[in-house]
Amino acid sequence: MEKWHPWKIRAIDAETKEPILNFTTLNSPRPPSPTKFGPSRAVNGEALVGYFAETFIHERVLTIRADGYETLRFPLMSELGATNTYELKRKK
C-alpha cells in the first residue's frame, strides 16, 4: 500500500523575515484541470497544502494569500515530507 505524505508550507514577511500567522493556500494542477486542494487556512503559521505519494507527484500551482500582502502564485513540485517556507511582499 502506498504511503501518502503531508505537504505543509509556512509564509514569512519578505522584508522582516517574521512569520505570517494568518494566510490561506490553494493547491491545484495546471489548467484546465478543475481539481484542487483548499483553500486551506494556516494554523500557527503553517498550512497543509495537500498530500502526495511518491508515485503520484505532479507539478502543481500554489497560491498563497495573506491580508496586506501581494498574492503569491506559481507552479512547483511538492517535496515529500518537506515544510517549505515562502516569502510574501507587502502591498504598496
Side-chain angles (χ1 to χ4, degrees):
M1 185 160 177
E2 196 162 40
K3 182 176 180 180
W4 288 80
H5 302 269
W7 178 28
K8 295 183 179 184
I9 66 163
R10 293 185 182 113
I12 61 173
D13 184 290
E15 186 176 318
T16 67
K17 307 303 185 215
E18 291 293 318
I20 299 170
L21 299 179
N22 298 307
F23 63 92
T24 58
T25 65
L26 183 63
N27 169 10
S28 59
R30 287 186 161 278
S33 177
T35 63
K36 63 182 178 182
F37 184 91
S40 297
R41 286 197 168 280
V43 176
N44 297 323
E46 187 173 71
L48 178 65
V49 182
Y51 293 91
F52 294 89
E54 292 179 18
T55 59
F56 191 72
I57 297 178
H58 302 287
E59 187 174 276
R60 310 292 290 180
V61 175
L62 179 64
T63 304
I64 305 171
R65 291 189 175 99
D67 289 342
Y69 291 87
E70 295 177 5
T71 297
L72 186 61
R73 186 170 199 255
F74 56 98
L76 79 161
M77 293 292 288
S78 63
E79 297 176 36
L80 292 177
T83 298
N84 303 92
T85 301
Y86 299 98
E87 295 184 356
L88 299 182
K89 295 179 183 177
R90 288 198 175 268
K91 288 183 180 177
K92 295 180 182 183

